[in-house]
Amino acid sequence: MTTDDLKLLDKFQEAAGGDEPDIETMRDLTHPDCTMTQPESLPYGGTLEGKSIWEEEFSAFAEEYEKFDFERRWMEQAGDWVAIYFDINGKVADGDEFDTSAVELFRVENDQIVEAEVFYKDTAKLIEAGL
């Protein structure tokens, strides 16, 4: 992992944020064989593969959440991985609001994201909110 990898993830996070994610930039930063794993307890949980994972993730979020705002608190490198900690404020579609946090782990090789894993602090809060 290099400083360039941290810059790549900064660019990726910038593309993912805001009202309209920049899916094309996210795809450009993603390896064709990339995998992303979300907690199985969530409706969109499981492992997605390929460059289309970001479209699939944001499509699932659009169905499940009325609002899903995140603010990055920190990003740290550890070997081949980068951990990013977020605070999340959201509202489940036809449900309640919730606040929680999450850690996303990213592995980068040859200037592309090859693996991502998401760990929510409290998936029960999402489920209790009506997910």
Side-chain angles (χ1 to χ4, degrees):
M1 189 64 61
T2 67
T3 302
D4 289 340
D5 294 338
L6 295 174
K7 289 178 185 176
L8 179 141
L9 287 169
D10 271 335
K11 185 175 180 179
F12 178 84
Q13 291 299 308
E14 184 178 311
D19 294 332
E20 289 294 321
D22 180 355
I23 298 292
E24 192 61 36
T25 295
M26 295 170 73
R27 287 176 60 91
D28 289 346
L29 299 173
T30 302
H31 189 274
D33 297 326
C34 182
T35 60
M36 180 182 64
T37 305
Q38 297 260 13
E40 290 284 346
S41 60
L42 300 175
Y44 50 84
T47 300
L48 300 173
E49 297 180 29
K51 284 186 173 257
S52 66
I53 59 179
W54 312 119
E55 291 99 330
E56 293 176 49
E57 178 184 39
F58 283 104
S59 176
F61 276 33
E63 289 178 27
E64 301 295 343
Y65 299 106
E66 185 175 309
K67 177 177 85 167
F68 193 93
D69 296 330
F70 59 91
E71 181 177 349
R72 184 172 79 192
R73 291 295 178 196
W74 53 261
M75 178 169 64
E76 291 293 331
Q77 176 181 333
D80 291 340
W81 292 86
V82 171
I84 304 174
Y85 182 89
F86 296 94
D87 286 331
I88 300 169
N89 173 262
K91 182 177 185 316
V92 174
D94 299 324
D96 295 330
E97 289 194 27
F98 62 89
D99 291 299
T100 191
S101 56
V103 172
E104 292 186 350
L105 300 178
F106 291 91
R107 190 165 57 87
V108 177
E109 291 180 0
N110 301 318
D111 298 324
Q112 291 193 308
I113 297 167
V114 296
E115 190 172 356
E117 295 187 46
V118 181
F119 300 92
Y120 290 93
K121 182 176 183 178
D122 191 352
T123 55
K125 278 190 178 183
L126 303 176
I127 294 166
E128 289 169 8
L131 194 62

